[in-house]
Amino acid sequence: MTMTRFRLQFLVATICTLLCSITLAQNTPRLLSARPTIVTVAYLATHTREMEGRLVSVRARLEFGWEGDNFMWDEPRAAAPRASDVRPRLWFHVDPTYERPVFGVLPRNLPAVGTFTGFFHFVPDKKSRTNEMFDPGPLQFSAISVSDVKLPGS
């Protein structure tokens, strides 16, 4: 009788471990093995819920601003953005873990055109995204890598 009870407990523990492992595997970002979805900034702006949290690759122009207000627009762009510019833009952020591979490739504080890979986030609630001085907007991009970088116009 005790052997049957032990087998039952072992079976239950094995099933629980298996289910937990499957759940964790589904919720863990697969940075190196996942292939990013190739998109444009305009596509992300119109498919916010569908693309939320997804690994994406965007060919875009990056403009560095003051105190972290860095934004990306669809490439090509011949002129710098104006206040009246209505094209969608992504706020560009780099997690400290990825600063070296991202900023090591980019020209220091100069506009750049490149292929940016990272995670897209849609933050519609202004209260959850605004600090006391700056609102990055609802379309946000957390970069993990950059490739094929050039200066605009080159």
Side-chain angles (χ1 to χ4, degrees):
M1 180 113 179
T2 57
M3 189 56 132
T4 305
R5 179 176 273 178
F6 173 76
R7 286 181 184 168
L8 182 61
Q9 288 174 344
F10 181 76
L11 179 63
V12 169
T14 303
I15 291 172
C16 288
T17 302
L18 179 65
L19 290 175
C20 288
S21 297
I22 291 170
T23 302
L24 285 173
Q26 290 174 345
N27 293 325
T28 303
R30 289 165 267 150
L31 296 178
L32 299 177
S33 63
R35 286 203 160 152
T37 303
I38 299 171
V39 295
T40 63
V41 173
Y43 184 86
L44 291 172
T46 57
H47 295 84
T48 54
R49 304 264 186 225
E50 172 191 341
M51 299 307 292
E52 164 61 33
R54 302 252 325 251
L55 181 64
V56 297
S57 183
V58 181
R59 181 76 183 162
R61 175 186 175 114
L62 172 65
E63 295 276 340
F64 289 98
W66 185 71
E67 298 273 328
D69 52 345
N70 309 321
F71 289 93
M72 296 183 344
W73 286 266
D74 278 327
E75 200 275 319
R77 275 183 69 75
R82 301 177 306 273
S84 63
D85 205 348
V86 293
R87 295 181 197 182
R89 65 184 189 173
L90 284 175
W91 179 59
F92 180 85
H93 165 74
V94 180
D95 186 272
T97 306
Y98 299 102
E99 283 181 352
R100 186 170 278 174
V102 171
F103 289 123
V105 175
L106 293 170
R108 188 174 285 283
N109 292 327
L110 293 174
V113 174
T115 301
F116 301 90
T117 301
F119 292 94
F120 172 73
H121 299 288
F122 178 58
V123 187
D125 180 21
K126 189 172 184 173
K127 289 180 183 179
S128 66
R129 68 176 190 248
T130 305
N131 62 27
E132 309 230 342
M133 299 175 61
F134 172 68
D135 177 10
L139 306 177
Q140 301 182 10
F141 183 83
S142 184
I144 61 171
S145 71
V146 182
S147 62
D148 195 26
V149 176
K150 65 178 185 173
L151 295 177
S154 61

